[in-house]
Each structure stands twice: as C-alpha cells, then as structure tokens.
Amino acid sequence: MEDAMTAAVLQSVAAVLPSVLPQPEERRRSEEGFRRWAVIMGTVHAKSLDPLPMHGRDLSMDPDDLIQKPEQEAESKLEILENKDVVVQHVNIQGLGRTKEDLLGYEISDVFHAKNLIDVMKRAHTARQKLLRLGIFKEVEVLIDTSEGADALPNGLDVTFEVTEIKRLTGSYNTMVGNNEGSMVLGLKLPNAFGRAEKLTFQFSYGTKETAYGLSFFKPQPGFFERNLTLNMYKVTGQFPWSSLKETDRGVSAELNFPLGMTNHTLKWEGVWRELGCLARSASFAVREESGHSLKSALSHTMSIDSRNSAIFPSRGALLRINQELAGYTGGDASFLKEDFELQLNKQLFWDSVSSASLWGGLLYPIGGQPSCIADRFYLGGPTSVRGFGMYSIGPQSEGDYLGGEAYWAGGLHLYTPLPLRPGKGGFGDLFRMHFFLNAGNLCNLNYGSGPHAHFQKLVECIRWSYGAGIVLRLGNIARLELNYCVPMGVQSGDRICDGVQFGAGIHFL
C-alpha cells in the first residue's frame, strides 16, 4: 500500500514539475527564484514553473527521433524526483492558539531527516497523521515551499503545517451496543485542556441494564502518544437478572498504557465501593447472603498482541490477551487472584470465506480463606459466548439464580461466508455474512485442596456444546449483530437453553 501511494505521488509530481529536470548550471542560478512548489494534504501543485527552453542542443538527429513517449518521459521525471537531494531548513506551524509548541516538536521532528522531495512528502504526511491522532486539531494542512531569505540554500525547503484547533468544549450524543444490551451516551469533553493534548471528559450513559456516569482525565506522553495515563472517577448501577442481583459501584482508578515490542500493556489500580442487593423478592437465599457493602482494591495487568485486520470481521491475523488481577494486598475486604485469557486465530479461505477459532479460559483463586464474591466470579453462556444457552445461564445456580463460577473455559470454531449469490457485492451486501459455528465450554467451582488432575476432570466432565448457523451484520467497526439458529447439546440440570432462533448484539464474541 505504501509503494502504491509513493508511485501515485511520484506521478503527480512528475506531471506538474517539469522544471526539476536538469538544466545548465548558469541557467539554474539565474532562474532559481522562479521555482516554487506547494503540497497541500498530499496533493502537489506548481505555483510557478520554469519556462521551457526555446531551442535544444543540435544533436544532428531527425526531429521525430527526439519525440519521447509519455511513459518514457514520466519514468525519467520520476527517477529524477526520487534522486533529487533537498534539505529541509525550516518547519513552521501556523494556527496555534492554546497548544504548546514543545508538544508538537516531537511529532514533526522527523521531517528534518528527509533526503529528497518524495521523502519530504512522505514524512510530512506521516507527521500530519500524528498531529491528527492527538485529537486536538480539526484540520491539518501541509505546505511545502522553497526556502527564502539570506540563509536559503539552493536546494532548501520550508515545510509549514497549517492547523485548526478543536473548540475548547465539545459535546456528543450517541448510542452504544454492549454485550446484548444497548445504551444512550451523552458526553462533554475538554480537548487539549492544558495545551499538551490532555483530555477531560464527563460521560453519562443510560442503558437497558446499566446506568453510569463518570469523569476521566487523559494525559499522553509527549512524543509517545501510545504511552498515556488515564484517571477515572465513576458511579455505575447495573442489573443482572440472571442472578436476581443489582450492583452499585462507586470507584476511582488509575491506568497506564504502553507498548513493549509487539505487545501492548495496561497497568491499573482500582478502588471501588460495591453495594450489592436483590433485584427481586424472589431472589434466592444464596444471593441474599451476598447482599451488602464491600470494598475492593485491586492491581491488574493486561498484555495483548493483536494482528487482526479488523476487530469485528477479521479475515486474517490473531489475538492474544492475558489478564491478571490481584485484590486485597492494597486494602479492601476482597482478596483473590484472578487470571483469564483470550485467544483468536483467523484465516482467509477460498471464495472470500474465513475460518476462525477462539479459546477463552479463566481461574479465580480466593486468598486468606475467604469465599469469592458473586461480583468477581466468571459467567458463561448466551449469544456472545456459548450460543444456544441463556445469558450467563451455565454453571452453579441456586433456586434459578446463577451464581457464577471460579473456573471456566470456552472454545469455538466458526466459518464465515458471503451471502448466497453475493447480493449488494461491493456495497451494503458486504456488511452481512453467513455464519456456521460449533461452540463448547464449561463453568464450575474447583476444590483447591485437590490436585491439577482433579481440576481438569471437573472442567471436562460436564461440557455444554452447541452448533448452528445464522447471519451476522457488521455495525461499522464498533459492534455486530447475530441472528442464529442454535441446537444446544450437553445440557445439564439447571441450565437455561435457547433452542432455535437466538439474537445477539455486542462487541465481544466467542
């Protein structure tokens, strides 16, 4: 893709810059002041061109032999443009208001290392993308011009970035799709709050199962946007009908994100005051026992490697995500060690079909002899995990209320194909896929006094599995909808099944 972009830029420059062809030294000196180029957002324009010579050298050849084909002329110009040495003398930024110049120096400094005109354009385009990524500019335009002034070199260039800053206060209204739930989101944002790409955000969301509001502060490291710090204050009230439980969380958190080689890492501390209560009078005694207040203080670390070409409809690549959480050592009355992972592999097959394999797993180990809390356990089942079963309706339960488990695994094999006869190919029809799947998994509590062999036996003795087919719809790059016909198998006593058509919406699917 980069080679194609370079070729297109070279052809554009060659078409409009005949003046860069080699000329005699004395003519170059006398007409240097007439040479001027402008590059605006990757498009090259000639503001003034050198006049073509009226007569060429007498080579004692037939005039028809001097006529070159357009392709040959273009090739020679492209070669000259690629090899023409230039020096970037000045890089200017125009249109700054509240943004600090030292922040932008990190993003544009690479332009000074360009060696030729094409390299200048490529590095300027990369710098423009970095400036837009900061989220503080509405528009960024690039102007490349010959150097002027007493210190101007014959091959010197000046690069100017013309920026338009985002307003001091912005608002947003949108809808969000979670795992089989939807919500309305209202937000207020102060971008570039202190002039160095900081962001202060207030957000309120009201959904089918959850209501939340929170305040967050985002601070990137200058020159290294991927390394950033986020501080949060929030209150979340959620309903969990599969457990007849409602939960209100009031908390603060600090989160540090940074890349390391091919991996991305997140270090997080969270302190949360949790209030658990019964959602209905019919709640089981086991859920009533969990009701009350608790304080959790936890440290967590997440490592991920994601080479997929899309998070919603990947056709190639892999994802590995590993998460560890340790609660109790920094305070609070919840003490446990929690580990979970996610693995996904995708491969494109014939006729635009894609095969996908997924594997999830997790383990929660209570510390200090305390039993685990219902809010910290794993849950399994539903249209986003093991299809053909009710939402989070696999595993331990009491009087119809599902209590979650301390260990689980789930796996899936999928085949995605285009719609039959390819209606709407190249347009709306590409948002749909046929979906064939085979899912399996189990969730349970382990006796940690026994050995690993007993744990393995427990996890594989009551496997739930299902198979089926359906249609998948991609909603942009943020979510997807599934309508599947499911056949649940391996059903155990107490499981809630969905035998037949099942609808699912979310961002995270097995």
Side-chain angles (χ1 to χ4, degrees):
M1 182 176 179
E2 181 179 357
D3 294 340
M5 182 187 73
T6 302
V9 173
L10 289 172
Q11 291 174 0
S12 300
V13 178
V16 298
L17 293 179
S19 60
V20 299
L21 293 173
Q23 299 180 12
E25 181 66 19
E26 56 275 7
R27 185 174 182 280
R28 184 190 64 78
R29 291 175 180 173
S30 64
E31 297 180 351
E32 185 70 35
F34 294 96
R35 190 174 294 114
R36 181 177 176 86
W37 302 278
V39 181
I40 299 179
M41 296 184 68
T43 303
V44 180
H45 305 277
K47 286 197 171 181
S48 64
L49 303 176
D50 291 340
L52 294 175
M54 296 300 296
H55 302 284
R57 297 177 59 185
D58 187 5
L59 301 178
S60 300
M61 297 178 65
D62 188 84
D64 293 337
D65 296 336
L66 298 177
I67 300 177
Q68 293 181 337
K69 296 181 180 180
E71 294 81 359
Q72 294 175 340
E73 293 180 356
E75 289 178 1
S76 63
K77 294 176 183 178
L78 297 182
E79 183 179 356
I80 292 169
L81 286 175
E82 277 190 298
N83 298 327
K84 184 176 179 66
D85 293 334
V86 299
V87 176
V88 177
Q89 291 189 261
H90 306 99
V91 178
N92 306 306
I93 302 178
Q94 297 179 355
L96 294 182
R98 62 187 184 277
T99 305
K100 309 298 182 182
E101 291 188 4
D102 61 316
L103 168 71
L104 307 183
Y106 295 99
E107 311 298 335
I108 64 176
S109 60
D110 194 48
V111 178
F112 284 104
H113 301 134
K115 300 301 183 183
N116 55 61
L117 183 58
I118 301 304
D119 197 18
V120 172
M121 289 195 239
K122 293 171 64 176
R123 292 176 186 264
H125 175 74
T126 301
R128 176 179 177 269
Q129 296 300 111
K130 290 181 178 180
L131 293 176
L132 289 172
R133 181 186 58 176
L134 295 176
I136 60 178
F137 298 122
K138 183 179 180 180
E139 294 179 356
V140 177
E141 294 185 350
V142 185
L143 177 71
I144 301 178
D145 199 355
T146 53
S147 296
E148 298 178 354
D151 63 341
L153 298 175
N155 61 342
L157 294 179
D158 290 346
V159 180
T160 302
F161 293 89
E162 298 179 349
V163 302
T164 303
E165 293 183 338
I166 293 178
K167 296 179 180 179
R168 292 181 180 272
L169 178 64
T170 62
S172 63
Y173 165 80
N174 60 343
T175 56
M176 185 172 62
V177 178
N179 285 332
N180 231 36
E181 62 177 304
S183 59
M184 174 190 69
V185 182
L186 300 174
L188 289 176
K189 186 186 301 182
L190 276 72
N192 206 15
F194 303 111
R196 290 186 172 86
E198 303 90 352
K199 183 168 58 179
L200 189 64
T201 305
F202 174 80
Q203 195 170 74
F204 170 79
S205 66
Y206 180 81
T208 54
K209 297 185 181 71
E210 184 177 279
T211 301
Y213 58 85
L215 182 68
S216 68
F217 176 74
F218 172 83
K219 169 65 177 176
Q221 177 181 331
F224 208 142
F225 188 79
E226 295 83 1
R227 185 179 295 161
N228 52 73
L229 175 68
T230 304
L231 306 177
N232 296 291
M233 296 177 59
Y234 60 88
K235 178 182 177 181
V236 181
T237 300
Q239 298 180 357
F240 310 97
W242 49 85
S243 301
S244 298
L245 181 72
K246 63 179 179 180
E247 179 180 355
T248 300
D249 293 344
R250 304 170 182 88
V252 295
S253 67
E255 184 176 307
L256 177 64
N257 299 284
F258 60 95
L260 185 61
M262 297 177 57
T263 63
N264 291 303
H265 296 259
T266 299
L267 292 176
K268 182 178 180 180
W269 171 82
E270 182 180 32
V272 55
W273 169 26
R274 304 184 295 190
E275 181 181 358
L276 304 180
C278 297
L279 189 60
R281 292 185 176 182
S282 58
S284 65
F285 182 74
V287 173
R288 294 178 185 275
E289 279 188 319
E290 299 276 359
S291 299
H293 298 265
S294 65
L295 182 63
K296 183 180 84 167
S297 176
L299 295 169
S300 64
H301 168 253
T302 301
M303 185 276 292
S304 64
I305 305 175
D306 192 352
S307 63
R308 299 173 300 172
N309 60 338
S310 171
I312 304 301
F313 270 1
S315 59
R316 63 179 183 274
L319 167 69
L320 173 63
R321 182 180 293 115
I322 302 174
N323 181 74
Q324 304 94 24
E325 182 180 5
L326 178 63
Y329 277 80
T330 54
D333 52 17
S335 298
F336 61 84
L337 175 63
K338 191 175 184 179
E339 300 268 353
D340 61 276
F341 74 92
E342 175 184 0
L343 176 64
Q344 183 185 108
L345 303 174
N346 303 280
K347 184 175 178 58
Q348 190 163 9
L349 305 176
F350 49 87
W351 297 332
D352 291 335
S353 59
V354 177
S355 65
S356 178
S358 300
L359 180 64
W360 297 355
L363 180 68
L364 186 150
Y365 179 73
I367 298 176
Q370 299 182 7
S372 60
C373 176
I374 189 173
D376 297 319
R377 298 176 194 143
F378 299 106
Y379 290 83
L380 188 63
T384 60
S385 57
V386 182
R387 297 160 178 84
F389 290 81
M391 195 68 179
Y392 301 139
S393 62
I394 289 178
Q397 56 93 24
S398 174
E399 302 176 31
D401 294 333
Y402 294 91
L403 307 178
E406 296 176 350
Y408 88 102
W409 68 271
L413 296 175
H414 306 265
L415 177 63
Y416 300 95
T417 67
L419 294 177
L421 305 180
R422 303 297 295 270
K425 181 180 180 181
F428 184 72
D430 290 341
L431 300 178
F432 294 86
R433 288 276 186 174
M434 292 292 295
H435 177 215
F436 305 89
F437 66 88
L438 172 65
N439 295 156
N442 193 17
L443 180 140
C444 61
N445 291 318
L446 300 179
N447 180 7
Y448 290 103
S450 56
H453 181 73
H455 297 166
F456 179 79
Q457 287 292 113
K458 184 77 171 178
L459 285 168
V460 300
E461 67 182 5
C462 298
I463 297 177
R464 284 82 162 177
W465 61 284
S466 64
Y467 64 91
I471 297 178
V472 182
L473 169 63
R474 174 170 60 87
L475 300 177
N477 280 324
I478 58 173
R480 79 186 201 190
L481 307 178
E482 288 191 4
L483 185 64
N484 296 312
Y485 186 87
C486 308
V487 181
M489 306 293 288
V491 180
Q492 304 297 315
S493 176
D495 292 346
R496 189 177 300 147
I497 64 172
C498 184
D499 190 359
V501 178
Q502 186 177 42
F503 174 78
I507 57 177
H508 193 210
F509 284 81
L510 176 65

